[in-house]
Amino acid sequence: NVNVVRNTFNCTYVPKIPLHISFDLNVKPYMSCSVWQIVGKACYLIDEFAMKTPQNSTKGVCTAFKSKYFAHKGGLFVYGDPSGRNEDTRSEKGYNDYKIIQSELSMFMPSLRVATLHPPVAMRGNFINEVFANNYGDISINLFENSVYLKNDLLFGKEASDGTKLKEKVKGEDGSTYEKYHHFSDNMDYLMCEAFKREFSDYQNGGGVTTRTPIR
């Protein structure tokens, strides 16, 4: 899609600028985390973690992140799937995914920016499309050239008839089924809707909407 291609650049890591990381907590085919830096309203995707078994856990992603960015001192903001706030059988009592993330990444003194509810899928998709196509709210999304996962989600993930994301299922070698696309587009959505909460709210209320060029 032309909007994805034209927003692909040589996005490089700048140590003194905060990192913004966002999680999608599905474990098949991998657990995903995207790494961004934000300057003003310009968002730069600089890295992707797609942790497959046996590292496809919250702790596994954090371990991989720490091994690569151990020297980072510029600050860390954490975003992601709101369902990770809930306790479940993957964690000991009193813990959830974000408590694990805060504990595992404590060396970075992370600041949690996770919504209490999922932003509406169709609305957030249209908001992201508007940012890509027309820099809605003066926001820009810039993808690094070697991006594989988010770029594939944006190029090949489909839209369902109700305007949400079509969660196509495929079967893995172990016989399990999983969603082929949208893991990285989901974690991008969580970050964009929370980092630019005011702009997303304005968009939901119909403020300044221009003609959209869909990318999904």
Side-chain angles (χ1 to χ4, degrees):
N1 182 285
V2 66
N3 290 316
V4 175
V5 173
R6 79 181 185 192
N7 284 279
T8 299
F9 302 97
N10 180 25
C11 302
T12 56
Y13 166 57
V14 182
K16 66 182 180 180
I17 297 175
L19 291 171
H20 299 252
I21 62 174
S22 188
F23 292 79
D24 179 70
L25 300 171
N26 289 302
V27 297
K28 291 288 184 78
Y30 43 69
M31 183 173 280
S32 66
C33 174
S34 57
V35 184
W36 301 74
Q37 292 191 299
I38 300 176
V39 180
K41 290 188 175 183
C43 306
Y44 299 92
L45 174 69
I46 63 167
D47 208 349
E48 299 172 319
F49 290 92
M51 305 306 295
K52 299 180 180 179
T53 186
Q55 286 82 36
N56 57 336
S57 65
T58 307
K59 186 173 181 179
V61 176
C62 291
T63 298
F65 176 82
K66 285 189 290 187
S67 70
K68 190 166 185 178
Y69 293 99
F70 62 91
H72 181 72
K73 303 296 183 185
L76 179 68
F77 295 93
V78 177
Y79 308 77
D81 185 347
S83 66
R85 288 181 173 275
N86 303 326
E87 291 184 25
D88 61 28
T89 55
R90 293 178 299 175
S91 310
E92 62 182 88
K93 188 170 179 59
Y95 273 74
N96 60 38
D97 287 289
Y98 292 108
K99 287 188 180 295
I100 293 170
I101 290 166
Q102 287 179 301
S103 175
E104 289 293 319
L105 302 183
S106 60
M107 62 188 285
F108 303 102
M109 294 180 285
S111 177
L112 206 60
R113 290 183 173 180
V114 179
T116 54
L117 297 173
H118 290 83
V121 179
M123 182 64 74
R124 80 194 197 211
N126 287 337
F127 172 64
I128 298 296
N129 288 344
E130 184 69 20
V131 171
F132 265 108
N134 300 300
N135 298 118
Y136 180 84
D138 296 322
I139 304 166
S140 67
I141 298 174
N142 307 282
L143 310 181
F144 75 107
E145 290 175 322
N146 294 329
S147 166
V148 174
Y149 298 99
L150 178 55
K151 202 176 291 182
N152 281 347
D153 280 0
L154 295 172
L155 289 172
F156 305 116
K158 298 175 183 176
E159 185 177 284
S161 57
D162 62 358
T164 61
K165 299 180 183 183
L166 182 63
K167 303 287 188 170
E168 296 178 279
K169 302 279 189 178
V170 296
K171 184 171 286 190
E173 293 181 0
D174 61 357
S176 64
T177 59
Y178 57 84
E179 296 166 4
K180 187 174 183 180
Y181 297 115
H182 295 307
H183 304 287
F184 276 85
S185 69
D186 278 349
N187 66 43
M188 176 185 67
D189 293 355
Y190 301 139
L191 182 147
M192 295 298 296
C193 292
E194 197 63 22
F196 300 99
K197 195 181 299 187
R198 180 180 61 80
E199 289 83 354
F200 181 51
S201 178
D202 288 345
Y203 181 83
Q204 287 179 294
N205 293 319
V209 178
T210 58
T211 302
R212 290 189 294 277
T213 304
I215 64 168
R216 302 180 191 213

